[in-house]
């Protein structure tokens, strides 16, 4: 799975970083992907974060 955050959409709510800190980290006012998901739990968390992002800024692609 590959995830990325569209910084132009992110409002820095922190939800994704709180849910999956191994993958997402707030830097400044936006979330960045600090590491791609490596475990099934991280992949599931990243997928949930993508679905839960209030501004649809997270893309999660299988591959
Ligand atoms: S959940 Fe969405 S809006 Fe909130 S910090 Fe993460 S990417 Fe940004």
């Amino acid at each position: 799975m590959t995830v990325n955050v569209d910084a132009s959409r992110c409002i820095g709510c922190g939800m994704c970083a709180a849910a999956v800190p191994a993958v997402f980290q707030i830097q400044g006012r936006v979330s960045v992907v600090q590491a791609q998901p490596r475990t099934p739990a991280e992949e599931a968390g990243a997928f949930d974060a993508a679905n839960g992002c209030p501004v649809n800024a997270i893309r999660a692609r299988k591959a």
Side-chain angles (χ1 to χ4, degrees):
M1 172 186 277
T2 303
V3 297
N4 67 337
V5 173
D6 182 345
S8 69
R9 284 177 172 251
C10 175
I11 57 173
C13 73
M15 183 277 291
C16 58
V20 202
V23 174
F24 302 101
Q25 187 175 59
I26 297 293
Q27 288 185 9
R29 307 177 93 182
V30 297
S31 174
V32 298
V33 175
Q34 62 169 339
Q36 293 296 326
R38 286 164 293 196
T39 66
E42 287 176 4
E43 289 197 351
F47 190 72
D48 287 347
N51 284 333
C53 175
V55 292
N56 201 24
I58 302 172
R59 290 276 174 271
R61 296 187 309 271
K62 299 206 176 209

